[in-house]
Amino acid sequence: MKKIILFAIWLVVMAASSVASAGSNSFNLSVLGRNPKSIDKVETTITGHLEFDCIESNCLYLPFVVKSGVGIGSWVKYSEPVIEPGPIGDWDGAYVNCPEILFDGTQYRMWYSGGNNTGSPAQIGYATSLDGIIWEKHMDNPVLKIGESGKWDDRYIREPVVLTDGSTWKMWYEGVNVLTGSHQIGFATSQDGISWLKFDGNPILNPGPPGSWDAQGVNGPYVILKQDEYHM
């Protein structure tokens, strides 16, 4: 029998957000040991949807949804995973994890990591939803693939964080090299959130020098834009 262990969570309710429709709030969810995630409610009649990971005994990572109408202390975990691994043999047939979700005014967009125990490395997929619960994976997944042999991200890529800048979608992600095992941070851009172009100067954030606190690698990026400056 599989046993599911849920991470401890910390919830913060923010002031009304101008990103969503009038009267909506932005709810932040921080998962212990993971990046904080946030997503906006569509309207006052729809509860805020947030996602976090659970771990099963076979190391499957499944995004869940939590919903609330009032905020701290009133959160109820949704009964089922909202994104599950694909069929055995598919690129994400073993696990899905590290979801990043944005609402574009019409639909929810999710970028997530997935992999296959039969040899397929972790790569980044894409899915959409009208309600944050029923998701449709993109037919051309994964939308961001590992680099060619010898590249800095040729082992796997994962943990995407996505922001918009005008009509441009920007993604920061973790990549790992087969030969060195080094974890580094890369950057990619897109005009539609689906077709991505990796930055020629990747990786943009490298491990520190020997003996430093981050000498073994840098991973799990989370980026915010504050007063025209990006903070990671």
Side-chain angles (χ1 to χ4, degrees):
M1 180 177 180
K2 295 180 179 178
K3 180 180 180 181
I4 297 178
I5 302 175
L6 301 180
F7 286 110
I9 60 175
W10 169 55
L11 301 174
V12 178
V13 180
M14 300 179 65
S17 170
S18 61
V19 177
S21 60
S24 66
N25 292 324
S26 175
F27 295 95
N28 285 342
L29 171 67
S30 178
V31 182
L32 186 63
R34 294 297 313 281
N35 299 325
K37 303 289 184 181
S38 65
I39 195 165
D40 295 303
K41 292 196 300 182
V42 184
E43 54 187 344
T44 54
T45 57
I46 297 181
T47 55
H49 296 92
L50 304 99
E51 41 73 22
F52 62 97
D53 294 337
C54 78
I55 302 179
E56 289 194 356
S57 57
N58 62 351
C59 296
L60 250 64
Y61 295 78
L62 304 175
F64 275 75
V65 165
V66 189
K67 58 184 179 180
S68 172
V70 294
I72 295 176
S74 300
W75 296 94
V76 179
K77 184 183 72 175
Y78 192 67
S79 59
E80 299 292 338
V82 296
I83 288 280
E84 299 190 61
I88 296 176
D90 280 9
W91 75 277
D92 62 350
Y95 61 88
V96 292
N97 63 12
C98 305
E100 171 75 349
I101 301 175
L102 295 178
F103 181 69
D104 66 5
T106 302
Q107 63 181 350
Y108 294 96
R109 295 171 175 246
M110 177 193 293
W111 297 264
Y112 65 95
S113 306
N116 192 318
N117 285 340
T118 62
S120 175
Q123 300 181 95
I124 295 173
Y126 173 72
T128 56
S129 172
L130 294 177
D131 60 6
I133 299 175
I134 300 173
W135 291 87
E136 182 177 356
K137 295 180 180 179
H138 195 266
M139 64 174 60
D140 293 327
N141 277 339
V143 295
L144 192 66
K145 301 179 181 181
I146 60 170
E148 298 176 354
S149 178
K151 296 291 187 179
W152 72 279
D153 58 351
D154 62 351
R155 183 177 180 183
Y156 62 74
I157 56 176
R158 64 180 187 180
E159 301 205 45
V161 56
V162 178
L163 295 177
T164 57
D165 183 0
S167 62
T168 301
W169 297 81
K170 298 182 176 182
M171 178 190 292
W172 294 261
Y173 63 95
E174 172 191 344
V176 178
N177 180 260
V178 169
L179 183 62
T180 66
S182 178
H183 295 243
Q184 301 175 91
I185 305 300
F187 176 68
T189 57
S190 172
Q191 295 305 306
D192 58 8
I194 301 171
S195 299
W196 292 89
L197 179 64
K198 294 181 180 179
F199 178 53
D200 287 339
N202 278 339
I204 61 171
L205 192 63
N206 305 295
S212 62
W213 70 275
D214 58 352
Q216 292 187 342
V218 290
N219 59 18
Y222 193 75
V223 179
I224 62 171
L225 179 61
K226 182 179 181 181
Q227 297 178 346
D228 298 324
E229 186 176 47
Y230 290 100
H231 298 257
M232 181 184 292

